Amino acid sequence: MSTLESMTDEELALSYINGNNRAFDELLSRNQDKIFSYISYIVKDENLANDLFQETFLKAITKLQTGRYKDTGKFFWWLTRVAHNVIIDYYRAQKCRHIVEPTKDNDLSNLNSNSVMDDSRESELANAQVLRDVKKLMEALPEQQREVVFMRYYQELSFKEIAQLTGVSINTSLGRMRYALINLRKLTSQHGVNLVLE
């Protein structure tokens, strides 16, 4: 065991690929707290974080076993990228499931308009509309620009973190954000969308 403990993460990954299952146990032990913290920070739900954490390590195992890991000396960032992709996949799947059908209990048509449309409610509705508009406009962006906007504003990652997770330089991340904002401004102008939060 002392031999495994003296190995780098990259050496452990390669050892696991070559059939040493104990090497993966050591990798898991070293990285589980940091990866779980990363996932928890993004999703802000412990039960969901546990599910996504397990999915992350299942994906990592699959990628290692099928030869989709290249030793770059940055195993932790590779694993963080796997976690990031698992989170993105989860949110994409959830987007398709949130269709609410009206029922007798949640029919809003019989509410008195005065009980709903006070000033704070109007602001809340306007802000919700802005967020819906932003999401629609983001769908029109190229994938790389959409990804950097999502990571920066929805996951609140720094450009350094975005660069590391996406495998590009900080300048490339900043450039993608710049073009994304230019394109979003064009789209808001074309569609007459007001993106001011109240």
Side-chain angles (χ1 to χ4, degrees), residues 9-21:
D9 283 359
E10 291 68 33
E11 290 169 336
L12 287 168
L14 295 173
S15 180
Y16 174 68
I17 290 168
N18 291 324
N20 185 349
N21 289 330

Side-chain angles (χ1 to χ4, degrees), residues 86-159:
V86 166
I87 294 166
I88 295 294
D89 290 345
Y90 169 79
Y91 282 120
R92 283 183 184 145
Q94 290 306 301
K95 194 166 83 170
C96 300
R97 295 183 191 153
H98 288 294
I99 299 172
V100 178
E101 295 294 334
T103 65
K104 191 165 67 171
D105 296 331
N106 73 359
D107 181 11
L108 300 179
S109 64
N110 53 9
L111 287 177
N112 179 324
S113 62
N114 292 332
S115 68
V116 180
M117 297 304 288
D118 62 8
D119 285 343
S120 65
R121 182 67 180 143
E122 285 181 25
S123 293
E124 187 180 323
L125 290 170
N127 290 345
Q129 183 61 50
V130 166
L131 294 175
R132 282 194 298 273
D133 290 343
V134 167
K135 284 186 178 178
K136 282 181 191 171
L137 293 173
M138 279 177 62
E139 291 301 316
L141 292 174
E143 183 180 350
Q144 292 175 337
Q145 292 174 23
R146 187 169 61 240
E147 180 181 46
V148 76
V149 171
F150 180 81
M151 293 171 83
R152 183 73 182 109
Y153 292 108
Y154 289 86
Q155 294 181 332
E156 299 176 357
L157 299 178
S158 69
F159 283 106

Side-chain angles (χ1 to χ4, degrees), residues 9-130:
D9 283 359
E10 291 68 33
E11 290 169 336
L12 287 168
L14 295 173
S15 180
Y16 174 68
I17 290 168
N18 291 324
N20 185 349
N21 289 330
R22 287 175 51 220
F24 188 81
D25 294 340
E26 179 67 19
L27 271 176
L28 177 61
S29 168
R30 287 185 192 181
N31 291 285
Q32 62 186 358
D33 289 343
K34 291 182 281 190
I35 293 298
F36 184 78
S37 295
Y38 168 75
I39 295 170
S40 294
Y41 175 76
I42 301 299
V43 303
K44 312 222 183 301
D45 178 306
E46 188 172 352
N47 290 329
L48 175 58
N50 276 314
D51 291 344
L52 296 177
F53 172 79
Q54 291 173 22
E55 179 68 20
T56 295
F57 274 90
L58 287 173
K59 285 259 170 85
I61 287 169
T62 303
K63 288 177 181 292
L64 287 166
Q65 289 176 342
T66 56
R68 288 185 283 161
Y69 170 73
K70 303 289 181 253
D71 179 13
T72 61
K74 298 177 181 177
F75 179 81
F76 174 72
W77 290 114
W78 176 82
L79 191 55
T80 304
R81 177 69 181 175
V82 173
H84 167 75
N85 289 339
V86 166
I87 294 166
I88 295 294
D89 290 345
Y90 169 79
Y91 282 120
R92 283 183 184 145
Q94 290 306 301
K95 194 166 83 170
C96 300
R97 295 183 191 153
H98 288 294
I99 299 172
V100 178
E101 295 294 334
T103 65
K104 191 165 67 171
D105 296 331
N106 73 359
D107 181 11
L108 300 179
S109 64
N110 53 9
L111 287 177
N112 179 324
S113 62
N114 292 332
S115 68
V116 180
M117 297 304 288
D118 62 8
D119 285 343
S120 65
R121 182 67 180 143
E122 285 181 25
S123 293
E124 187 180 323
L125 290 170
N127 290 345
Q129 183 61 50
V130 166

